[in-house]
Amino acid sequence: MSVDVSGSAVAVRARTRARAPAACTGCGMPSAWVHSRYERHLADAAVGGRPVRIDLSVRRLYCENPACPKRTFAEQVEGLTVRYQRRTPLLQQVVEAVGVLLAGRGGARMLRVIDVALSRCTVLSQLMRVPLSLNTLVTPRVLGVDDFALYGDTYGTLLVDATTRLPLTLWEGRDAEQLAWWLRRHPGVEVACRDGSLVYRQGITSGAPDTLQVSDRFHLWQGLSRQVQKIAAAHHSCLPAALPDPEPPPAEVSTAPDPAESRADRHAQRLFEAVHILTGTGRSYSSMSRELGLDRRTVRKYARARTWQEVMRRPPRKPSTLDPFLDYLQQRWDEGEHNAKILHQELQTKGYLGHYQRVKMAVAPLRCGLPLDTPRERAPSPREATRWIITAPDRHTPHTSQRLHRLLGHCPELQKAHHLVRQFTAMLDSRDAAPLPQWLDQLASSCPPPLVGMAKALREDQHAVVQGITTHYNSGVNEGRITDVNLQKRLMAGRAGVPLLRHRVVLIAHLRRRDTDRPTLTPR
C-alpha cells in the first residue's frame, strides 16, 4: 500500500490479500480459487481539501459451488467497495444526503465545495436510486388525506401516516379512483382524516368501506368562515355602520366652502363650475364630455358633487407609528417649538422610532395654520368584518367590540350569521355534536344562500362531521407536511416532476426523523 500526496489529489494504491477467501456475490459460499486480478478506481471523501482517489487491486475468483449461476465473481471489500460503483460508501452517503437536501443544481454546487465534481443530472440520478423507507410500505392505522397546489390550477394528493407523522406518498390530481386503488393495495386503515371534499369521500368509501371517516375541524371552521365572508361581501353597504356617528361641527365654525389654495384645488374648482354650467342646460353627460374634452365618468363625478371639495376629498389616512405622539407635537408647537429636527429628536427620547421626514410632513399643516392631519376610521372590509364575527368575544378589544355591536345591530343577516357561528364554536369547544342536527336545520332555514348550501353539504357528510367534532383526530399533520412540500417545490424552482418531488418529500422527512432520534453525547 502507498499514498502519494504530491499532486492536487491524494492517490492511494492498495491491494487485497492474496490467500484470504471471499464470499461469492451469487450464492455466498466462500472461495479462495483465484481467477485473475484487476484494478478498481474509487473516489473517496476529500482529505485536507484534496480529493482522494483509491486505486485498489482486487481479485476475480471462481465460485466452487456447482449450483451457483456465477462462474466467476469479483471480491468486495466491506466498507470500501460496492458492486458497479466507483465511489466508496462514505462518499456515496454524502452524495445522496446532499441530493436529498438540495436536489440537482444546489447539490452539485455544494459537492463542488467539498471537492466532489458531479453534474446536476448525476446528483438527481443518485437521488432517485435511494430506496424509500420501508415505513412507506406499512399500512397506517390513521391515514391523513389532503390536497395541495402542485402548479397553476393543478392540484395533487398527499397521504400522511398520522401516527408517525411521516408522509407516505403523493401523486398528481384529486382522483377518487386512484385513492381507492391505493387503499385496496394497503388494507387495514382504520381512520381516515380528510377535508369536506366529495372526491376523497367517494375514494375512501370505495377503497375502504369499513374505515372511519373524520371531517377535519380546521376545514369545517374554514368553510364556515368563507361562507360568512361571502355574506359580509354581499352586505358591504352595511359595513360603514360599524363606524361611530360623526360628531357635529361646532356652531362657531363657518359652513362656507374653503377657498382654493393649491393649484390642484383651483383646477378642480374650474372644472366643477364648467360642468355645472352645462348641467343647467339639461345636456347629457356624453355631450358635455365631448365639449369639455373630459371622460364621461369624470363629468358625471363633477355633476353629482355638491361642492368642488367633495371631488378633492382624500381617502382616510392609514394609521402610522407617529399617531401616539400627535398630541405631544401639538403641545410643543403651541409652546413655540417649530423646528422639525428638534421635534424629531424629542420624540426619539419618548420612544418614537420613525424617520425625521414623517415628523416634517406631520407639522407641515401647522405651518399653514391648519390642524394636524389625524387618522380617520375606515369602514371595515368584508374580510375584517368576518374576522370580528368568527373571533371569540373574550379576545376582542373594547374598540372592536363596539364596532361589531354597531354592525350587528344594523345588519340582521350578519347578526344571524354571528349567532350561528357562536353555536358552532360551542360545539367545537365542548366536543359535543348533539346540537348538530338542530344547528343544521337553523343553517338550512337561514336566508343567506351561502349558509343554505353549506347546510346541504354538511348534512350529506354528517357522520364524518360528527367524528370531526367529537374525536381528537384531525388533519394538522397534513397541513404541516403540505408546508414542507411547498418548500421543496420552491427549492427546485418548480421544475421538479412528481416522481422527484415524491422522492424528496419522503426521504427528507425520514432523514429529519433519523437525525432527531439520533442520541447526542453529553459532556461528563
Side-chain angles (χ1 to χ4, degrees):
M1 177 176 177
S2 63
V3 179
D4 183 11
V5 295
S6 59
S8 59
V10 178
V12 179
R13 296 187 63 85
R15 59 183 291 139
T16 58
R17 293 183 179 181
R19 297 184 179 181
C24 175
T25 56
C27 62
M29 178 180 291
S31 173
W33 186 4
V34 178
H35 173 275
S36 60
R37 275 186 175 271
Y38 75 101
E39 196 170 73
R40 296 186 63 176
H41 306 284
L42 306 171
D44 198 7
V47 175
R50 295 183 180 183
V52 176
R53 187 185 75 251
I54 301 177
D55 298 328
L56 180 64
S57 176
V58 296
R59 297 172 298 170
R60 179 169 289 279
L61 302 101
Y62 290 102
C63 181
E64 301 181 16
N65 183 9
C68 181
K70 288 183 174 291
R71 299 291 300 275
T72 62
F73 64 93
E75 64 176 334
Q76 305 295 331
V77 181
E78 184 177 359
L80 186 63
T81 63
V82 179
R83 296 178 65 192
Y84 310 117
Q85 187 166 290
R86 296 187 178 183
R87 284 180 289 273
T88 62
L90 175 61
L91 182 59
Q92 182 65 19
Q93 291 178 5
V94 173
V95 172
E96 292 175 355
V98 171
V100 169
L101 296 175
L102 299 177
R105 295 183 185 275
R109 287 193 291 266
M110 184 62 194
L111 290 173
R112 203 173 298 121
V113 173
I114 59 176
D115 296 306
V116 179
L118 291 178
S119 67
R120 60 182 179 86
C121 297
T122 303
V123 175
L124 290 180
S125 66
Q126 296 300 315
L127 165 63
M128 296 302 293
R129 287 175 56 187
V130 178
L132 297 179
S133 174
L134 295 178
N135 294 335
T136 59
L137 305 177
V138 178
T139 301
R141 190 182 70 86
V142 182
L143 177 67
V145 184
D146 207 347
D147 59 352
F148 65 95
L150 193 57
Y151 51 85
D153 296 332
T154 303
Y155 287 82
T157 300
L158 175 67
L159 303 185
V160 181
D161 187 344
T163 303
T164 62
R165 310 177 71 88
L166 292 175
L168 299 173
T169 184
L170 60 87
W171 60 74
E172 181 179 350
R174 294 179 287 192
D175 188 7
E177 183 57 36
Q178 191 167 6
L179 177 58
W181 174 83
W182 190 92
L183 290 171
R184 294 189 195 100
R185 290 193 60 188
H186 300 80
V189 177
E190 300 178 7
V191 181
C193 301
R194 55 168 177 80
D195 56 9
S197 171
L198 177 62
V199 173
Y200 293 148
R201 187 199 318 170
Q202 294 174 347
I204 297 173
T205 304
S206 176
D210 299 331
T211 300
L212 179 66
Q213 300 189 36
V214 178
S215 186
D216 181 53
R217 297 159 57 93
F218 166 75
H219 289 95
L220 291 174
W221 184 254
Q222 185 183 50
L224 181 60
S225 303
R226 288 175 178 173
Q227 306 311 317
V228 173
Q229 184 171 347
K230 291 180 181 179
I231 299 174
H235 295 80
H236 62 88
S237 59
C238 299
L239 300 182
L243 301 178
D245 297 332
E247 298 180 0
E252 63 273 12
V253 177
S254 176
T255 57
D258 298 333
E261 296 181 355
S262 66
R263 181 178 178 182
D265 292 345
R266 291 191 293 271
H267 178 69
Q269 186 177 12
R270 287 195 299 268
L271 289 181
F272 176 81
E273 294 173 353
V275 169
H276 275 263
I277 290 175
L278 296 178
T279 304
T281 62
R283 299 172 59 178
S284 64
Y285 292 154
S286 300
S287 176
M288 290 188 291
S289 65
R290 286 192 297 269
E291 181 173 341
L292 297 176
L294 300 175
D295 188 84
R296 184 179 182 278
R297 289 173 295 182
T298 304
V299 173
R300 182 180 59 185
K301 179 178 67 174
Y302 277 91
R304 292 180 177 180
R306 291 173 295 180
T307 61
W308 65 267
Q309 286 88 350
E310 293 184 14
V311 184
M312 297 296 295
R313 183 181 299 168
R314 296 178 180 177
R317 180 174 68 82
K318 294 182 179 180
S320 70
T321 55
L322 187 61
D323 293 342
F325 306 95
L326 293 180
D327 293 338
Y328 179 79
L329 276 180
Q330 184 68 52
Q331 175 188 347
R332 294 292 292 136
W333 187 273
D334 296 339
E335 293 173 357
E337 182 56 66
H338 298 170
N339 191 317
K341 195 72 174 179
I342 297 177
L343 292 173
H344 178 253
Q345 294 174 356
E346 294 179 1
L347 292 179
Q348 284 182 322
T349 61
K350 292 184 174 295
Y352 175 64
L353 303 178
H355 196 266
Y356 153 75
Q357 193 68 22
R358 179 165 292 182
V359 178
K360 178 182 177 181
M361 295 174 62
V363 299
L366 296 175
R367 301 186 188 279
C368 302
L370 301 175
L372 286 172
D373 186 13
T374 57
R376 291 168 287 174
E377 284 191 284
R378 293 183 175 185
S381 64
R383 178 176 294 182
E384 188 176 6
T386 303
R387 186 167 62 248
W388 295 348
I389 293 174
I390 66 176
T391 302
D394 56 348
R395 300 185 62 183
H396 284 158
T397 62
H399 180 64
T400 302
S401 298
Q402 295 174 4
R403 300 179 75 180
L404 178 60
H405 179 72
R406 288 191 293 265
L407 176 61
L408 298 181
H410 183 269
C411 184
E413 300 295 337
L414 290 178
Q415 173 69 37
K416 185 181 299 184
H418 179 263
H419 179 66
L420 293 171
V421 168
R422 298 271 63 85
Q423 287 183 340
F424 189 72
T425 305
M427 286 188 286
L428 292 180
D429 293 341
S430 62
R431 293 189 179 275
D432 182 15
L436 181 62
Q438 183 180 0
W439 183 79
L440 289 177
D441 293 337
Q442 296 181 22
L443 207 65
S445 61
S446 60
C447 296
L451 294 182
V452 177
M454 182 179 180
K456 181 180 178 181
L458 293 181
R459 200 180 298 277
E460 295 175 354
D461 198 22
Q462 186 170 344
H463 181 71
V465 174
V466 170
Q467 299 300 324
I469 294 175
T470 57
T471 63
H472 64 278
Y473 299 113
N474 58 78
S475 298
V477 180
N478 297 51
E479 300 300 328
R481 287 303 173 191
I482 289 174
T483 302
D484 189 49
V485 170
N486 294 331
L487 173 62
Q488 306 311 324
K489 289 191 325 184
R490 292 186 182 97
L491 288 177
M492 293 184 286
R495 300 180 181 179
V498 175
L500 177 59
L501 181 62
R502 180 192 307 116
H503 225 72
R504 288 200 65 209
V505 167
V506 175
L507 290 176
I508 285 180
H510 287 81
L511 184 62
R512 290 172 179 168
R513 176 63 58 86
R514 186 184 63 190
D515 293 341
T516 303
D517 297 341
R518 183 178 299 169
T520 57
L521 298 179
T522 56
R524 295 182 179 179

